[in-house]
Amino acid sequence: MTGTILTLRGPVEPSALGRTLMHEHLLLNLTSEFRSDGLLNDEPLVIEELAHFAAAGGSTVVEVSTSRLTLGASPDPGGGRDSPPYPAGSRTRDNVQALQRISDATGINLVLGTGHYRQPYFDHELINTSTVTELADSMVRDIQDGFGDSGVRAGIIGEVGCDQWFVSAEEERALRAAARASKRTGVCISTHAVDYPVGLAQLDLFAEEGVDPTRVIIGHCDTVNIAGYHDEVLARGAWIQFDTFRGLWERDVQRRVRMIVRLADAGHADRILISHDVCKKSHLKAYGGRGFDFIPTQLPQLLTEAGMPPDLLDQLLVDNPARALAG
């Protein structure tokens, strides 16, 4: 299934993808960690916020909410789930329909993720009573047939990953399932590896499963302030993703800019992906954040001032996402 990119609107040629944010959330429930700040369920507000990205020349957003994160118009995290064989790992019918309306209203292509997020958000009964093959089968159905009876197919496996600095037993099962689904479909995997260099353990596991490392995106690399970690991820052939560009604190922004420029100067600009990872109300413009357009409107000047050639931004926002998603 490589060669084209599966979006909510159907298959898209890589050349038509345009400027792309590789790791965002539009409707999700993180209230167990962040209380009301972690609830994104205001569909009109999402449309308003995403319109800023469209106005800045944006074309595509990769929406990586998975398992018990997804929401539609209702804040009930379990509402509207399709019956088996599309259990808790799949998006709700309500979620898919809401995302269709958001895409129609903004003109933005959406690439939707499938899979199981991380330990605190697992359906533990499902993870522990299903075989790894059965978990993989569910993801493959989402990719090949669509979420439930919606006809809308997943175009990426993720966000899947680890809650801490290690791979838990349940996370290992979910990650192995993601690996097998990726091998069967060619769809890439996008991981959650925040604060700790756990992306290397994820790559070890994927290597055991025989996954092509070029089909793996190690996420949140900009939250790990270890230069050698970034180099090792790249040395193993995976994509490195700097995806928490929220623009709220100058020190954090400049540190991320320096990371990108260092790796670009070393010849790795073709292996870097960028995004904001909007996942709280406080990340949205309406609540004082920078929203979905900090990268296209502010980052180019910052990278240029740091010595990066201006034409490399299109590589980060256009060329690299197309190659990562299409294979």
Side-chain angles (χ1 to χ4, degrees):
M1 298 180 68
T2 56
T4 58
I5 297 159
L6 298 174
T7 76
L8 185 148
R9 298 176 173 182
V12 170
E13 292 298 318
S15 60
L17 200 64
R19 286 193 164 191
T20 301
L21 298 176
M22 285 293 296
H23 188 111
E24 304 293 347
H25 302 276
L26 303 182
L27 297 168
L28 85 166
N29 186 346
L30 290 173
T31 54
S32 61
E33 288 187 272
F34 306 112
R35 300 184 69 83
S36 64
D37 194 28
L39 183 62
L40 298 181
N41 69 329
D42 188 334
E43 189 177 320
L45 177 59
V46 172
I47 291 171
E48 178 184 321
E49 295 279 338
L50 205 57
H52 293 293
F53 176 58
S59 297
T60 302
V61 168
V62 182
E63 214 283 354
V64 288
S65 303
T66 55
S67 57
R68 290 190 163 184
L69 292 179
T70 60
L71 288 175
S74 167
D76 174 13
R81 296 206 177 278
D82 300 317
S83 59
Y86 301 98
S90 299
R91 290 174 180 268
T92 68
R93 181 182 296 108
D94 194 31
N95 174 257
V96 173
Q97 291 173 344
L99 292 172
Q100 286 176 318
R101 292 190 294 269
I102 290 169
S103 179
D104 290 342
T106 61
I108 295 292
N109 276 323
L110 298 180
V111 177
L112 307 188
T114 183
H116 302 272
Y117 180 32
R118 55 184 168 94
Q119 186 85 24
Y121 293 90
F122 283 165
D123 179 330
H124 301 288
E125 181 179 358
L126 176 72
I127 296 292
N128 288 304
T129 61
S130 303
T131 67
V132 171
T133 297
E134 287 171 339
L135 294 173
D137 288 344
S138 179
M139 297 180 214
V140 170
R141 283 193 295 269
D142 288 345
I143 295 164
Q144 294 183 338
D145 303 326
F147 297 101
D149 59 2
S150 71
V152 173
R153 299 154 69 189
I156 192 169
I157 298 169
E159 171 180 12
V160 295
C162 304
D163 188 56
Q164 299 291 328
W165 60 91
F166 55 88
V167 182
S168 75
E170 288 187 355
E171 288 167 347
E172 178 181 350
R173 293 171 62 78
L175 289 171
R176 289 193 185 279
R180 296 178 192 184
S182 175
K183 286 182 64 179
R184 288 165 58 183
T185 63
V187 169
C188 70
I189 304 169
S190 181
T191 80
H192 176 96
V194 70
D195 294 335
Y196 311 105
V198 70
L200 298 179
Q202 294 171 352
L203 287 172
D204 289 341
L205 188 151
F206 293 144
E208 290 175 9
E209 291 288 337
V211 175
D212 179 350
T214 66
R215 307 308 295 135
V216 178
I217 302 165
I218 298 298
H220 310 318
C221 287
D222 47 333
T223 68
V224 183
N225 195 20
I226 304 171
Y229 171 62
H230 306 146
D231 297 328
E232 179 64 19
V233 170
L234 290 167
R236 297 197 190 187
W239 292 89
I240 190 165
Q241 189 161 265
F242 297 144
D243 52 25
T244 59
F245 267 102
R246 293 170 185 143
L248 297 175
W249 298 284
E250 180 67 16
R251 179 183 176 86
D252 281 354
V253 172
Q254 289 298 332
R255 181 171 63 83
R256 286 160 171 75
V257 167
R258 288 194 298 271
M259 288 177 178
I260 291 177
V261 172
R262 181 185 75 83
L263 292 172
D265 287 345
H268 300 304
D270 62 341
R271 305 299 299 168
I272 301 170
L273 300 165
I274 57 177
S275 207
H276 305 98
D277 190 20
V278 168
C279 59
K280 300 179 187 178
K281 288 178 183 174
S282 57
H283 297 156
L284 301 174
K285 287 179 179 289
Y287 291 90
R290 296 295 186 92
F292 295 101
D293 68 341
F294 175 80
I295 285 175
T297 62
Q298 304 295 316
L299 191 57
Q301 181 178 347
L302 295 173
L303 289 171
T304 300
E305 291 172 351
M308 188 168 138
D311 61 330
L312 283 184
L313 186 71
D314 270 346
Q315 181 163 21
L316 299 179
L317 275 177
V318 180
D319 301 340
N320 290 355
R323 288 192 299 112
L325 290 168

